[in-house]
Amino acid sequence: MLPVTRPDMRPLRIFPTDPTRTRSAARTATILVENEFLKPGPVGSRLEIVDFDASASPPIFYDAVDLDHPDILMEGGLSPSESDPRFHQQMVYAVASRTLANFDRALGRRVSLRKGRSRTRLRLFPHAFEGENAFYDRDLHAIMFGYFSADAADPGTNVPHQTIFTCLSHDIIAHEMCHAIVDRLRRRFLEPSNVDVLAFHEGFADIVALLQHFSYRDLLVEELQRLRGDLQKPTFLVELARQFGHATGRGRSLRSALDKPDKRLYSSVTEAHDRGAILVAAVFEGFFETYRSRVQDLFRIATNGTGKLPEGELHPDLVARIATEASRTAQRQLDMCIRAFDYLPPVDVTFGDYLRAIVTADFELNPADEWGQCAALIEGFRRRGIYPEGVTSLAEESLRWPVAVGAPPLQDTLADLLPKLLQIEAEKFSKQNSSSTSEARAYKRGREMSFSIEELETPAEAGQADPPGNSEEGDTARTRQVYDDMRKALQQYARECRDALDLDDPDTAHLAGFDAVFRTSPSGALLIELVAQFIETDVSTKDNPEWGGVPVRGGTTVIFGVDGAVRYVISKPIASGGRSLNLRRREARTAAFARRIRQRAFVASLDDADPATPYMTAEAYSKRMLTRMSLCALHEGHDHG
Ligand SMILES: [Zn+2]
C-alpha cells in the first residue's frame, strides 16, 4: 500500500476581523496553519489554549475542542459561531498560530515561545475574565482575553448589552500575540527607559495585526471593490478592532493606520498607544505608497490611460489583480517590519533605531529595493519627524547601521561550533511544517511531543537565553551540548573583544540570546547569519529608587556572517569609566552619558506629570516607572477618546 503523507498545513475557519460582519459574503475565512499534532485545548508545541473562566460563578472549564477529531478535520475545523466556546478556542489558536508563522517566516527561524524550567508553552485564555480588556501577562506567560456587555447607549453595530468576546477579534489576538513574541525576542523592551520603548511595543503589535488583514483574500477583494482600489478611504482593512471600539462606546475602531502627518506629534505625544500610532502611520504610509506604485499600471490599462475609472462596479478581473498586488505588498511589508528585529539593539529602543534596523535588514536581503518599498517607508518616517539620533541625513546609506570594523571574527572554538549550530537550526526550521516520525511516535504513545528536553537554565537571568527551538527526541544530548558550548564560547568572545563590541564590563555583561537565521530574499538568495545579544546593567541604578525600577542598561547586538566575520555591532553602551580609553571607548562613553541623561529626564518628566508622586509609599515610589508604563495597566481598556 502506498504511504499517505500527513499534510503540512491544516485548514481552520475564523472570523477574519470579528463577528460583526454578519451580512458580508466574506464574513468568515479559512486559513492554513502548521499541521502539528494537537491535544484537546488545542494544545500544540508552542501554544496551549486553556478555557478557564474565573469570572463565571462558579468558575468553569469549558469543554476543550479536539481539532484532531476526524469529524472536525473533515470539516476544516468548526464553523464560526459566536455562541460555541469551542469555536472561540479554535479561533484563538488559529490566529495565534498564523501570527507566529509570520514571525518564523520573516525571522528565518523557529521562534521559541517556551519558557522557564518546565518549558511552559504560551497559554491563551479565551474567556479569562469579565472586562473590556485583553492583555499579555509575562509572569503567567499567558494572554488573557476578557468579555463584556456592549455599551447600552451606543453599541454601534452591536445589540445593547450583547456579549462581546475579545477572543473573537482577529486584531486583538494578533496584537496580544505580538506582545508575547516581542517579549521573547527582546526581554528589555518592557522597561520604559525612554518614551519610545513601550510605544514601540504597541505600535509594532498594531502593524502586524493590520498587515495580516491583507492576507484574507475574499475580504480583501470585496473591500477593494467597495473602495474602488483606494486603500486610503476609510476601511476596516486599516482599522484595528472595529467591534471592540464600537462596543465600548467609542463610535469608531480602537485605532487606525490613517493619520494626518504632523511632525509635532512625535515630540509631544507620550501615551504608549497614541505614540505607537505614529509609528503605525509611518509604516503604513510606506505601504500605501508602494501599493499605489504597484497598481498604477493596472489602472492605466483599465482606463485606457486616462486614470478615470468608469461609473459602477470595477471589473472583477481588475479587482482580482489589485487584490493580489495589495496582499503581496502587505506580506513584503510585514516581512520587512518583522525581519528588522534581529538588527535592533537589545535595550532602550527608539523609533529611529527601528527605522535603521528596517533599512539595514532590507539592504542585507534585498539591496536593489526594486519596489521602492524601503524608500517609501523612510519617507513615511520623515514626514512624521522621526529621525534617528546621530544620523545626518535620511539617505538610505546613512540610515544603515555602519558595517563593523575592528571586531575580530569568531575564534577557533566558535568557528568549529557554528556549522554544527547552523545544521541543528536549519533542520528544525525546515522541519517545522512537516511532522517528524519521532513526534508522531511520541504522540501515539499519548506523550508530550518532542519536549523531552528539560530546561537549560540560563546563566544570568532565567528566560533570557532560552536555547532557540525545542530539541527532539534522539538528538537532545547532542543539541544541548552544542547550545551549551556555543553559549560559553560567545561569553568568552565577548570578554576578549569587549572594546570592539562596546561592552563595558565583561563580568556583568551576559549573553541574552543567540539565534541562527536563514532568510530568503525576494530574488531567491539565501542569507545565513548568527545573531547574538549581550546585555549589561549599571548596578548602581538597580536598587536606587530614584530610577523608579528601571535601571540603566546597555547592550549590543552582534551579527555574524556565515563565515564567522562580524557584520554589524549595534550597541547601546554604558560607561563605568576607570579604564584607559581609546577613541572607540571615548565615543561609546559619550553616547552612554547622553543616554543616561535622557533616561533621567524621562523619569523626571513623568514624576512632574504625575500628581501622585509626592504621596507614594517608598515601595510604590521605587517601582513607579514600571507601574506607570506597564502594558497591562494601559491596555485596550485605556480610553483613547
Ligand atoms: Zn498592546
Side-chain angles (χ1 to χ4, degrees):
M1 197 174 75
L2 284 170
V4 178
T5 43
R6 186 180 160 93
D8 286 346
M9 305 304 278
R10 174 198 301 265
L12 284 176
R13 284 182 280 177
I14 60 165
F15 291 123
T17 54
D18 54 45
T20 47
R21 297 180 54 78
T22 46
R23 281 167 301 279
S24 156
R27 64 180 294 260
T28 68
T30 297
I31 61 172
L32 295 173
V33 301
E34 177 188 351
N35 186 21
E36 55 177 347
F37 290 98
L38 291 173
K39 292 200 291 191
V43 179
S45 64
R46 293 183 284 181
L47 303 171
E48 177 174 351
I49 314 301
V50 185
D51 207 355
F52 178 67
D53 183 349
S55 296
S57 56
I60 179 173
F61 269 107
Y62 294 105
D63 283 345
V65 66
D66 179 5
L67 292 181
D68 277 352
H69 191 284
D71 294 345
I72 295 180
L73 281 173
M74 202 173 292
E75 291 284 330
L78 295 172
S79 297
S81 152
E82 283 186 74
S83 56
D84 184 350
R86 295 171 312 157
F87 170 73
H88 298 197
Q89 299 154 13
Q90 168 179 310
M91 167 109 183
V92 168
Y93 171 77
V95 176
S97 299
R98 161 65 72 101
T99 309
L100 197 48
N102 271 322
F103 278 82
D104 289 341
R105 167 194 157 122
L107 290 173
R109 61 173 184 269
R110 191 170 168 84
V111 175
S112 169
L113 283 181
R114 296 204 152 217
K115 189 185 170 192
R117 195 169 283 280
S118 51
R119 308 290 293 157
T120 334
R121 301 174 188 86
L122 180 70
R123 287 178 298 181
L124 300 102
F125 291 75
H127 310 101
F129 61 94
E130 198 173 345
E132 290 177 13
N133 210 345
F135 58 86
Y136 161 65
D137 186 314
R138 174 195 274 181
D139 295 333
L140 294 174
H141 194 40
I143 296 173
M144 312 301 233
F145 296 94
Y147 58 90
F148 60 98
S149 296
D151 197 90
D154 182 14
T157 51
N158 305 290
V159 180
H161 301 300
Q162 175 192 346
T163 304
I164 307 295
F165 297 98
T166 59
C167 73
L168 289 183
S169 163
H170 165 276
D171 298 348
I172 294 178
I173 303 168
H175 177 102
E176 296 306 329
M177 269 305 285
C178 287
H179 281 318
I181 297 168
V182 168
D183 196 34
R184 295 298 288 159
L185 298 173
R186 289 286 186 279
R187 297 287 289 170
R188 298 301 173 196
F189 284 11
L190 280 185
E191 291 183 343
S193 51
N194 73 62
V195 67
D196 278 357
V197 181
L198 294 185
F200 172 77
H201 235 289
E202 294 298 348
F204 180 78
D206 283 357
I207 289 167
V208 174
L210 289 171
L211 284 171
Q212 284 188 178
H213 286 173
F214 293 84
S215 61
Y216 305 122
R217 176 84 192 177
D218 294 349
L219 194 70
L220 184 61
V221 167
E222 190 180 278
E223 193 63 2
L224 282 170
Q225 177 64 265
R226 189 183 71 78
L227 297 167
R228 299 170 68 76
D230 182 358
L231 282 177
Q232 279 169 287
K233 288 188 193 146
T235 164
F236 65 86
L237 287 171
V238 296
E239 288 169 7
L240 192 93
R242 180 176 274 200
Q243 183 189 31
F244 183 90
H246 284 280
T248 48
R250 287 175 173 81
R252 56 182 165 79
S253 304
L254 188 59
R255 291 187 284 278
S256 164
L258 292 172
D259 73 340
K260 289 191 196 71
D262 181 346
K263 289 185 179 177
R264 285 166 304 181
L265 293 176
Y266 183 60
S267 48
S268 58
V269 172
T270 55
E271 195 281 321
H273 297 89
D274 296 342
R275 194 172 176 83
I278 305 172
L279 183 70
V280 177
V283 167
F284 266 80
E285 180 170 325
F287 167 67
F288 293 138
E289 190 50 44
T290 310
Y291 162 76
R292 256 197 307 275
S293 78
R294 297 292 304 164
V295 296
Q296 64 186 12
D297 58 342
L298 296 171
F299 280 109
R300 272 197 302 270
I301 296 166
T303 60
N304 281 327
T306 64
K308 278 187 79 99
L309 286 165
E311 298 287 311
E313 295 233 313
L314 299 184
H315 195 290
D317 290 350
L318 175 65
V319 178
R321 284 287 292 109
I322 60 176
T324 302
E325 290 302 333
S327 63
R328 281 171 66 195
T329 308
Q331 187 66 52
R332 274 172 76 153
Q333 191 92 6
L334 183 59
D335 287 349
M336 200 166 147
C337 288
I338 296 175
R339 199 165 61 214
F341 241 94
D342 282 334
Y343 293 79
L344 285 175
V347 296
D348 202 30
V349 70
T350 64
F351 290 180
D353 293 335
Y354 185 50
L355 176 60
R356 300 193 74 179
I358 292 176
V359 173
T360 311
D362 197 61
F363 172 76
E364 282 294 306
L365 202 59
N366 184 28
D369 188 26
E370 67 282 348
W371 288 17
Q373 203 154 8
C374 193
L377 191 126
I378 295 171
E379 180 62 12
F381 278 70
R382 188 194 65 77
R383 298 222 305 150
R384 284 159 190 81
I386 306 173
Y387 304 111
E389 288 169 328
V391 168
T392 46
S393 109
L394 289 185
E396 216 172 301
E397 55 277 14
S398 35
L399 282 174
R400 286 202 294 270
W401 296 116
V403 172
V405 280
L410 295 172
Q411 306 101 324
D412 293 350
T413 332
L414 269 169
D416 289 347
L417 279 166
L418 187 56
K420 292 182 193 158
L421 178 77
L422 292 177
Q423 194 188 342
I424 292 169
E425 296 277 295
E427 279 169 15
K428 278 183 193 163
F429 186 48
S430 67
K431 224 193 272 178
Q432 75 177 64
N433 288 332
S434 62
S435 47
S436 75
T437 42
S438 69
E439 202 174 277
R441 250 185 278 119
Y443 182 72
K444 287 209 182 92
R445 289 199 299 270
R447 291 182 34 193
E448 298 239 310
M449 303 152 279
S450 71
F451 322 126
S452 47
I453 175 178
E454 325 71 281
E455 160 72 338
L456 294 147
E457 196 54 16
T458 56
E461 310 198 36
Q464 277 285 310
D466 282 326
N470 294 313
S471 292
E472 309 242 347
E473 270 183 308
D475 68 3
T476 303
R478 179 178 70 102
T479 305
R480 284 175 59 178
Q481 193 60 49
V482 171
Y483 285 139
D484 240 14
D485 293 347
M486 195 78 201
R487 187 160 27 239
K488 283 182 201 134
L490 279 168
Q491 290 276 21
Q492 179 65 21
Y493 176 81
R495 250 191 298 278
E496 285 165 18
C497 312
R498 64 178 183 181
D499 280 359
L501 302 186
D502 291 338
L503 293 171
D504 193 65
D505 181 350
D507 295 324
T508 58
H510 77 272
L511 181 65
F514 62 92
D515 294 288
V517 299
F518 305 85
R519 297 186 240 260
T520 323
S521 76
S523 62
L526 180 65
L527 180 72
I528 302 175
E529 288 172 331
L530 171 68
V531 183
Q533 304 171 51
F534 300 92
I535 294 182
E536 49 191 346
T537 305
D538 178 345
V539 285
S540 71
T541 59
K542 204 165 180 181
D543 299 316
N544 181 343
E546 289 304 311
W547 294 87
V550 178
V552 175
R553 294 190 205 275
T556 302
T557 300
V558 191
I559 306 202
F560 300 93
V562 70
D563 56 356
V566 177
R567 303 271 304 128
Y568 296 99
V569 172
I570 301 156
S571 67
K572 295 269 172 172
I574 57 171
S576 59
R579 290 190 288 129
S580 66
L581 301 174
N582 58 25
L583 178 64
R584 187 178 178 95
R585 286 298 314 164
R586 279 208 297 277
E587 282 174 3
R589 211 171 158 182
T590 311
F593 283 126
R595 272 202 321 116
R596 202 182 170 90
I597 290 164
R598 179 177 74 188
Q599 186 170 338
R600 199 70 200 83
F602 179 51
V603 177
S605 71
L606 292 191
D607 283 349
D608 287 348
D610 184 352
T613 310
Y615 311 105
M616 286 176 182
T617 62
E619 168 76 7
Y621 186 74
S622 69
K623 291 192 189 124
R624 67 195 184 286
M625 287 305 285
L626 292 171
T627 43
R628 272 176 192 153
M629 302 290 283
S630 95
L631 288 178
C632 173
L634 279 181
H635 212 61
E636 268 81 10
H638 174 86
D639 187 53
H640 289 256

